Every structure is written in C-alpha cells, then in structure tokens.
Amino acid sequence: MENITSKNNEKIKSAIAIRDSASQRKKNGKFFLEGARLCGDAAISGGDILQFFFTEKARAKFPEFFEKILSSAGESYCISEEVSRKLSDTQSPQGMFCVCKTGDKNISADKINHNGKYILLENVQDPSNLGAVARTAEAMGVDGLIVSGGCDIYNPKALRACMGAFFRLNIIECGDIIRFIKSAQAKGMKAFASTPDSEAVKITEVDFSGGVICIVGNEGNGVTCETMSAADAKITIPMQGRAESLNASTAAAILIWEMVRRGA
Amino acid sequence: MENITSKNNEKIKSAIAIRDSASQRKKNGKFFLEGARLCGDAAISGGDILQFFFTEKARAKFPEFFEKILSSAGESYCISEEVSRKLSDTQSPQGMFCVCKTGDKNISADKINHNGKYILLENVQDPSNLGAVARTAEAMGVDGLIVSGGCDIYNPKALRACMGAFFRLNIIECGDIIRFIKSAQAKGMKAFASTPDSEAVKITEVDFSGGVICIVGNEGNGVTCETMSAADAKITIPMQGRAESLNASTAAAILIWEMVRRGA
C-alpha cells in the first residue's frame, strides 16, 4: 500500500479536480466522496470505488468502515494529515476519501417500472436540494429518482446532503427529458409537472394511481415550458400564505409523500 | 444623510458583530439583514429597521425597495463599495443592509390561538433548516412557528433561506418549552412530538383536528426526552427505505402539510 505525503502528488491533484469540477467528473466518469460514513455506504452498497485515501488516524478511529472500504477499493493510499486537509472540503476532515466510478445511469424509459412512482428533477441547481430530494425519495421508497442533464448529482455537497441515500436509490439520468416522458407515457405512465401556479390542479385532487412521474423544476424558473407541455397535467401544492413558491426540495418532499401515500 | 467610507467606522463594526454573533444579537436585541428584497420585505411588513446601509449603485438599481426602506428606517447611511463588501456575507453583495430590532417574541401559550395549528422547533441547529421551515410554515398558512431557545432564528443564513417569510409569519419564542406545552394542553390543545421511531403513531392515523402543536427536534438528537414525555403522543412519518430519518426541514414540511390539510 502506497503512502502519499505530498499535496502535489498527481493522484491527489486529480482527486481534487474531480471533487471541484462537474465537467471533470463528467469527462472522467468519476466522482469524489468524503467522510467515513459516506465512503462506508459506498462500499456496503456496491459502489464502484476506484481509489481510497485514508489517514492513519481515520483507520484507527473507524476500523469497521476502513475494512469494508479497503476490501472494496481498487487502489488504497495512506495519506498524511496535510494531504487529508488538502483533499477535504470540510472544516474538520475525518480523513477518509474515495474516488468512485459514476457508471452508466442512462436508462431508457422503456426499462423502468411502468407501475412505479418516480420523481423527476429538471435542472435543479442547488446541490443541497438535490441531496435532500435523494434522501427523501429513498426514505419514502419511490421507485427511482430521475434527473435531467442540468442536475449535478455527483456534486460533493449533494452527496453529503443525501446521507448515503445516493447508493441505495435507483437514480436514472435522462438525456432527453421530453423523449423520456413521451416513452413513459406510451407505456401507460402519467407525467405531472409541478408549478406554484394556483390555477393548476391541486395535488389533493390528483389521481396518483398506476405509474407516475412527478416533475420538479429549477429553483428560480420552475419546470421548462417544453416539459410542462409534454406533461399530462400541471399540478400544484395549495398555498395559503403570501409566499410565491416553496423551496424545490420541500415541494418535492410533499409531492413524493402524496404520490407514495395515495398512489399505493 | 451620513456617508460611510471607512470599514472601521463604529456603526459598521457593530453591524458586523450583530451579523456574526448570536450572543451579540441576543444581548443587543438586534439582527442583521442583507439584500434588497429581504430589506424591502422588512420595510413592507412593518419590521423595526434601526439602521439602513446602502450603496449608490444599489439605490439606483433598486429604487422601489430603496424608497420603502428609507421611509421606514430610523437612520440611513450611504456606504462605499468597499464598506459594502465588508458588510456582506455573500459573494456578490447587492449593497443593501439593515440592522433591525428583534422585538419581544416571547408570548405565553395562554395567548396563542387554541384552535390553531403550530409547528414547534426544538433546538434545530442548521440555519438553512430553520429558514426552510419558516418559508414552508408561512406558505402553508400555519398559525405560528414556535421556536425553543436553541433555535437561532436571527442567523443571517436562516433569514436568507426563509425568503422574507420571517416578516409575514407569526413567530413565537418559548423560554420554557415544557411549560409552554403544558399551558397549551390546559387550554385543550394537543402536542405531538415527531420521531423516526417506527413504533410511534403513523401520521396518517393522527387526528389533527382542533388546536395542534407539532414538535420537530434537533437534527442529530431529535426531540428531547423531557419534551417527548410532555407530548400527548409520539408521531412518525412512515418510511420505507433504509434511511434512518428525514432531514428536519423535510419532516417539518410533511407534518405541516398533513396538519394543515387534514386539520382544517
């Protein structure tokens, strides 16, 4: 097992590039994880761990996670505290980091469960929102989280916010969102686009039975006009206050809750 | 109207202390706001604005907000761009800042609406969660948000996350949470403590009619044992995945939704 003590080590520099840049993640098909629990979740849930970086301290502090990650990882490196601080995105690094393979999450709408419940995020930008929705979707037992190209699900902040749900959740990337929706509809599924527009159908009046895809849009702009047009209906969460809209992850949570609760 | 061009001006230093420190906010009974929209919301909603700081650029860019804030503010100061950068907590400051009076939000449980729906946050730490719950509570039309002493509702991050709902929402600080709950119960209200414990009563089976207080606890530790004991029932949001819990603001959103939807 190799030791790394230099912050300028090529493997460290390349891990940092993966951590910091969405385009590097896309180009290399890799993503970066930090934290004993999150790296452990990746190992337990069959994530494809290419590289594992750990400090001696972390090895001693999290022996259980350490063993699991070590046995799953392609390559493992013992790093100095200084290198750990360099790799870390947080104030108090735990000293465990992984670089994983993204894998191919592009699945055609023909191959999903046509009686299932799915939440689709279109261009949701805030990584904390992405992570929060993944966490809720997994907890509520949806059949999958579908993300459009504009959602950076491998962002380190998103991965931290989802608390490991990422590895247990069926995540699907759709290249062409309109085509995905139309294929799903051809298989008998319904697609509902959410909007703060109070003229839309209230979610309390929506029939969530059968195969359903609920769509939540970008924080500022909502669901795009094209996607809205492709949907079977525009739906809305009734509001009583003077707020113009709900936070995207809050809206998604209430939609998921209603879809799963009433659509069973 | 005074101009301020020095970062070391006493008024600027004191505003920054209010911005950065919960104990300074408490001690001085003041809080700090940043952003044209948020300062404007304070002015429109009758917030008690003690000081208003603005740049010439901001004045030209947001004339409508500027006039409203100016006419509400006790003192107003035109600041340089350098001072604005110093006051700002964000990457691209808009150049409008207010110092406001917190006012007394300590209301006895005898004085709340005993047929109303309230969400109570106990020691919720993350300012983004606090702000998100305030935003949801206002949008859903709850009668009030009750916070325990452990919730720093005047944190600038919380104020940003709540998108102005702070000024439109009935916020109540309770010094002694147990006493508050017992007084509310004596007036016929029910207090429900939420928990991820699957043995608790499922929220789908809870009677939300009449006066209700739903309690959400700290992100890591949940509702305290003492508060749990004072509640009429422990309630839980049924989960199907392997997640151990929901994010505090997500749990609060689903509780608020169910309480308002079914308790009407």
Side-chain angles (χ1 to χ4, degrees):
Chain A
M1 202 181 301
E2 200 181 321
N3 287 307
I4 300 179
T5 54
S6 161
K7 293 193 288 182
N8 298 316
N9 179 291
E10 284 306 319
K11 293 191 175 74
I12 300 302
K13 280 159 72 178
S14 132
I16 290 171
I18 300 289
R19 180 192 76 191
D20 292 345
S21 154
S23 63
Q24 284 293 321
R25 289 193 281 276
K26 200 157 198 174
K27 189 178 141 198
N28 293 288
K30 296 175 186 173
F31 65 102
F32 178 84
L33 286 178
E34 168 166 6
R37 180 70 183 264
L38 203 49
C39 293
D41 275 332
I44 293 161
S45 306
D48 196 344
I49 302 173
L50 302 170
Q51 296 172 311
F52 173 34
F53 302 95
F54 61 92
T55 61
E56 277 298 345
K57 262 194 201 163
R59 176 184 193 153
K61 195 169 173 188
F62 308 103
E64 222 176 299
F65 289 130
F66 176 81
E67 290 302 332
K68 279 185 184 136
I69 306 164
L70 190 75
S71 64
S72 309
E75 303 165 4
S76 296
Y77 303 94
C78 183
I79 59 174
S80 65
E81 287 296 325
E82 195 193 1
V83 171
S84 167
R85 281 191 296 275
K86 181 86 182 170
L87 272 180
S88 178
D89 212 11
T90 61
Q91 296 261 325
S92 358
Q94 291 185 321
M96 285 196 180
F97 311 88
C98 287
V99 171
C100 302
K101 206 172 156 183
T102 54
D104 188 9
K105 296 194 185 297
N106 265 291
I107 294 167
S108 138
D110 290 345
K111 304 240 169 95
I112 67 172
N113 173 5
H114 300 125
N115 283 309
K117 312 293 180 200
Y118 292 83
I119 184 93
L120 191 162
L121 301 181
E122 184 183 36
N123 306 331
V124 168
Q125 296 285 309
D126 181 339
S128 308
N129 278 340
L130 286 170
V133 176
R135 184 175 170 189
T136 308
E138 196 270 340
M140 294 288 159
V142 303
D143 292 275
L145 169 66
I146 307 163
V147 291
S148 76
C151 300
D152 181 17
I153 48 167
Y154 296 108
N155 181 295
K157 271 195 201 124
L159 293 167
R160 270 205 300 277
C162 79
M163 302 281 279
F166 182 83
F167 300 104
R168 302 188 295 265
L169 183 65
N170 177 26
I171 298 179
I172 298 156
E173 287 180 292
C174 66
D176 183 334
I177 189 168
I178 304 292
R179 197 164 141 190
F180 192 95
I181 291 171
K182 296 210 159 159
S183 304
Q185 286 167 328
K187 296 285 180 183
M189 297 186 81
K190 285 167 290 185
F192 298 128
S194 63
T195 164
D197 179 359
S198 59
E199 302 286 300
V201 184
K202 289 189 176 57
I203 60 164
T204 44
E205 289 157 15
V206 172
D207 175 9
F208 285 113
S209 63
V212 173
I213 299 175
C214 267
I215 309 162
V216 173
N218 173 270
E219 289 87 348
N221 307 312
V223 173
T224 61
C225 188
E226 295 75 18
T227 300
M228 203 63 104
S229 305
D232 293 273
K234 293 184 199 188
I235 64 173
T236 194
I237 300 168
M239 291 189 287
Q240 303 191 21
R242 277 197 283 151
E244 285 161 20
S245 65
L246 292 165
N247 169 282
S249 68
T250 300
I254 294 173
L255 287 170
I256 291 171
W257 165 251
E258 285 292 299
M259 176 167 69
V260 171
R261 183 178 70 80
R262 287 167 45 212
Chain B
M1 203 180 303
E2 200 181 319
N3 287 307
I4 300 178
T5 54
S6 161
K7 292 194 287 182
N8 298 316
N9 179 289
E10 283 306 319
K11 293 192 176 73
I12 300 304
K13 279 159 74 177
S14 132
I16 290 172
I18 300 289
R19 181 192 75 190
D20 292 345
S21 154
S23 63
Q24 284 293 319
R25 289 193 281 275
K26 201 157 198 174
K27 191 178 141 197
N28 294 287
K30 295 176 185 172
F31 64 101
F32 179 85
L33 286 178
E34 168 167 6
R37 180 70 182 265
L38 203 49
C39 294
D41 275 331
I44 294 160
S45 307
D48 195 345
I49 303 173
L50 302 170
Q51 296 172 311
F52 172 34
F53 302 95
F54 62 91
T55 61
E56 278 298 345
K57 261 194 201 163
R59 177 184 192 153
K61 196 168 174 190
F62 308 103
E64 221 176 299
F65 289 131
F66 176 80
E67 290 303 332
K68 280 186 185 134
I69 305 164
L70 191 74
S71 64
S72 310
E75 304 166 3
S76 295
Y77 303 95
C78 184
I79 58 173
S80 65
E81 288 296 324
E82 194 192 2
V83 172
S84 168
R85 280 191 297 274
K86 181 85 181 170
L87 272 180
S88 177
D89 212 13
T90 61
Q91 296 260 326
S92 357
Q94 291 184 321
M96 284 196 181
F97 311 88
C98 288
V99 172
C100 302
K101 207 171 155 183
T102 52
D104 188 9
K105 296 193 187 295
N106 265 291
I107 294 167
S108 139
D110 291 344
K111 304 241 170 95
I112 67 173
N113 172 6
H114 299 125
N115 283 309
K117 312 293 180 201
Y118 292 84
I119 184 93
L120 191 162
L121 301 181
E122 184 183 37
N123 305 331
V124 169
Q125 296 285 309
D126 180 340
S128 309
N129 279 340
L130 285 170
V133 175
R135 183 175 171 189
T136 308
E138 196 269 340
M140 294 288 159
V142 303
D143 292 275
L145 168 66
I146 307 162
V147 292
S148 77
C151 299
D152 180 17
I153 49 165
Y154 297 107
N155 181 296
K157 272 196 199 123
L159 293 168
R160 270 204 300 277
C162 80
M163 302 282 278
F166 183 82
F167 301 104
R168 301 187 295 265
L169 183 65
N170 177 26
I171 297 179
I172 298 156
E173 286 180 292
C174 65
D176 184 332
I177 189 168
I178 305 292
R179 199 164 141 189
F180 192 96
I181 291 171
K182 296 207 160 161
S183 306
Q185 286 167 328
K187 296 284 180 185
M189 297 186 80
K190 286 167 288 182
F192 298 128
S194 63
T195 164
D197 179 359
S198 59
E199 303 286 298
V201 184
K202 290 190 175 57
I203 60 164
T204 45
E205 289 157 16
V206 172
D207 175 9
F208 284 113
S209 63
V212 173
I213 299 175
C214 268
I215 310 162
V216 172
N218 172 271
E219 289 86 348
N221 307 312
V223 174
T224 62
C225 187
E226 295 76 18
T227 301
M228 202 64 102
S229 305
D232 293 273
K234 294 183 197 186
I235 64 172
T236 195
I237 300 167
M239 292 188 289
Q240 303 189 22
R242 276 196 285 152
E244 286 161 20
S245 65
L246 291 165
N247 169 282
S249 68
T250 301
I254 295 173
L255 287 170
I256 291 171
W257 166 251
E258 285 291 300
M259 177 167 67
V260 171
R261 183 177 70 80
R262 286 168 45 212

